[in-house]
Amino acid sequence: MNRIITVSRQFGSGGREVGKRLADATGYAYYDRELVDKVADKTGLRPEFIEKYSEASTSRDFPYVYGRTFVHYQHTPEEEIQRVQFNAIRELAEKGDCIIIGRCADHILRDLDPFRVFVYSSDMQYRIDRCLLKVPEDAVKTSKQLQKEILQVDKQRKKYYEYYTGGQWGQVESYNLCVDTSYTGIKKAVELIVAAL
Amino acid sequence: MNRIITVSRQFGSGGREVGKRLADATGYAYYDRELVDKVADKTGLRPEFIEKYSEASTSRDFPYVYGRTFVHYQHTPEEEIQRVQFNAIRELAEKGDCIIIGRCADHILRDLDPFRVFVYSSDMQYRIDRCLLKVPEDAVKTSKQLQKEILQVDKQRKKYYEYYTGGQWGQVESYNLCVDTSYTGIKKAVELIVAAL
């Protein structure tokens, strides 16, 4: 059976970087934005549109818990993106060892027994500082603004995850290892995940 | 500054065993039930009584967030136990490197920057099986009964923690590393914690 690591993460905690370095350390394939292109190919939708809805919750009020594939009643465009994305995740996971960032992959692939990691930062300042480094020079943003944006993205991810999985995002039981990058740093976080495999 | 590891844990997940082995691995002092005796000495109360309230929430309806020491208004007996226990935890932490199990030590010692670990099991069956091993032969208990008891203890710990700290028990941000013993096993969990230090 293929070895699969799913990396869920708080915004600004360095989850993507942890995932990339994990791919370097293990030699596993790495899927993050690559999934956006795959969904774009299959749906004909523009990547920017897909990226926008890639981890955003839909407008329905009831939870949308699903099995291996989607039930084909009439989808909203966002749900159609999810359906294609979810099937793409399964295809990739069946191809070989891999690391998948976000997108409910832990839940979608649960029958394949993935190693489920959650990357977070108990220190909000660490996340703000990481985000500040990435803000373009001409876009002046205060720490307060960034904190608001960070919390907003997390709220969206949580809503999205809970809508599609019925599980709890950021709750320990949803994962096998939860690492605080503001304590360990990125490098040590990767070492711990590799050691736990 | 002394190195302090606080181990919070779900009931039945092996947190105490992780703590003990961590003490063997690091040479740090280990405090769990030792704290009960210390509180018994200072209060003159029976250890069984102290143990009962050692991590049980009190009857007040408002949160009891405190600073370094307690505010001396009139305490309930449970709160008096907490007050003595919390001061005992500070004394011990100031004595030398140590590992402290539960009892809000992560919060009580937050100014000493402890390494805060949460030990849990994403697989409930693992916890039930661990508890089954400890049930005396003459006490017949079903898995269903044990699961109910496990969840009840966790509920109490959560209530106790949140009452005295204003924080969230079992929420990733309250800790620096959260390890799923039903995935890693006890031995590997200890290795990961040592590696993260």
Side-chain angles (χ1 to χ4, degrees):
Chain A
M1 195 187 267
N2 295 331
R3 285 160 298 180
I4 298 157
I5 307 173
T6 60
V7 180
S8 308
R9 73 291 183 219
Q10 284 184 338
F11 186 69
S13 67
R16 175 172 295 158
E17 200 178 327
V18 167
K20 273 187 206 159
R21 292 205 198 179
L22 207 49
D24 292 339
T26 57
Y28 295 6
Y30 172 81
Y31 302 119
D32 181 12
R33 290 190 174 139
E34 294 75 2
L35 278 158
V36 172
D37 297 332
K38 215 168 153 72
V39 175
D41 283 349
K42 296 219 178 191
T43 57
L45 293 166
R46 280 186 300 125
E48 307 85 72
F49 182 79
I50 293 162
E51 190 135 44
K52 187 176 169 195
Y53 289 107
S54 175
E55 287 189 272
S57 70
T58 78
S59 49
R60 290 186 203 268
D61 283 334
F62 51 88
Y64 192 85
V65 180
Y66 61 92
R68 228 188 110 129
T69 48
F70 267 56
V71 181
H72 286 262
Y73 64 84
Q74 199 170 2
H75 295 303
T76 64
E78 297 93 325
E79 283 171 353
E80 181 57 16
I81 290 174
Q82 303 315 325
R83 192 184 67 79
V84 175
Q85 179 169 271
F86 290 179
N87 290 336
I89 287 172
R90 282 211 72 89
E91 268 176 40
L92 293 171
E94 281 161 13
K95 251 169 70 179
D97 301 340
C98 63
I99 293 158
I100 304 177
I101 308 295
R103 298 173 178 78
C104 304
D106 54 338
H107 181 80
I108 297 167
L109 304 174
R110 64 196 180 284
D111 58 322
L112 301 176
D113 202 20
F115 178 45
R116 299 163 297 159
V117 174
F118 190 72
V119 175
Y120 67 100
S121 300
S122 67
D123 180 2
M124 171 57 78
Q125 194 57 49
Y126 179 83
R127 299 165 70 186
I128 294 172
D129 291 346
R130 282 187 62 85
C131 289
L132 270 172
L133 290 175
K134 291 179 187 169
V135 173
E137 273 187 35
D138 55 340
V140 181
K141 289 202 185 188
T142 64
S143 289
K144 209 174 158 186
Q145 276 174 315
L146 277 173
Q147 177 164 346
K148 204 176 151 192
E149 286 174 24
I150 286 168
L151 293 175
Q152 186 56 36
V153 175
D154 273 6
K155 202 174 154 187
Q156 249 178 12
R157 285 184 183 169
K158 183 178 167 66
K159 203 173 158 196
Y160 166 83
Y161 183 86
E162 298 184 355
Y163 181 81
Y164 283 104
T165 72
Q168 286 192 290
W169 186 85
Q171 190 70 33
V172 291
E173 284 106 326
S174 302
Y175 313 98
N176 302 121
L177 188 69
C178 308
V179 187
D180 174 7
T181 46
S182 65
Y183 182 87
T184 62
I186 301 290
K187 194 174 157 229
K188 174 66 88 176
V190 174
E191 286 171 17
L192 291 175
I193 298 165
V194 171
L197 277 176
Chain B
M1 195 187 269
N2 295 330
R3 285 160 297 180
I4 298 157
I5 307 173
T6 60
V7 180
S8 308
R9 74 290 183 219
Q10 284 185 337
F11 185 69
S13 67
R16 176 171 294 157
E17 201 177 326
V18 167
K20 274 187 204 159
R21 292 204 199 180
L22 206 49
D24 291 340
T26 57
Y28 295 7
Y30 172 82
Y31 302 120
D32 181 13
R33 289 189 174 139
E34 294 74 3
L35 278 158
V36 172
D37 297 331
K38 215 168 153 73
V39 175
D41 283 350
K42 296 218 177 189
T43 58
L45 293 166
R46 279 185 301 124
E48 307 85 72
F49 181 79
I50 292 161
E51 189 135 44
K52 188 175 167 194
Y53 290 107
S54 175
E55 287 189 273
S57 70
T58 78
S59 49
R60 290 185 203 270
D61 283 333
F62 51 87
Y64 192 85
V65 180
Y66 61 93
R68 226 189 112 129
T69 48
F70 267 57
V71 182
H72 286 262
Y73 64 84
Q74 198 170 2
H75 294 302
T76 63
E78 297 94 324
E79 283 171 353
E80 181 58 16
I81 290 174
Q82 304 314 327
R83 193 185 66 79
V84 175
Q85 180 171 271
F86 290 179
N87 290 336
I89 286 172
R90 282 210 73 90
E91 269 175 39
L92 292 171
E94 281 161 12
K95 251 167 72 176
D97 301 340
C98 64
I99 293 157
I100 304 178
I101 308 295
R103 298 173 178 80
C104 303
D106 53 339
H107 182 81
I108 297 166
L109 303 174
R110 63 195 181 284
D111 59 322
L112 300 177
D113 202 19
F115 178 45
R116 300 162 296 158
V117 174
F118 190 72
V119 175
Y120 68 100
S121 300
S122 67
D123 180 2
M124 171 56 77
Q125 193 57 49
Y126 178 84
R127 299 164 71 187
I128 294 171
D129 291 345
R130 282 187 62 85
C131 289
L132 270 172
L133 291 175
K134 290 179 186 168
V135 173
E137 273 188 34
D138 56 339
V140 182
K141 289 203 184 187
T142 64
S143 289
K144 208 174 157 186
Q145 277 174 313
L146 277 173
Q147 177 164 346
K148 205 176 150 191
E149 287 175 24
I150 286 169
L151 293 175
Q152 185 56 36
V153 175
D154 274 5
K155 201 174 155 187
Q156 249 179 13
R157 286 184 183 167
K158 183 177 168 67
K159 202 173 158 195
Y160 167 83
Y161 184 86
E162 298 183 354
Y163 181 82
Y164 282 103
T165 71
Q168 286 191 291
W169 186 86
Q171 190 70 33
V172 291
E173 284 107 326
S174 302
Y175 313 99
N176 302 121
L177 188 69
C178 309
V179 187
D180 173 8
T181 47
S182 64
Y183 181 87
T184 62
I186 301 289
K187 195 175 155 230
K188 175 67 88 177
V190 174
E191 285 170 20
L192 291 174
I193 297 166
V194 171
L197 276 176

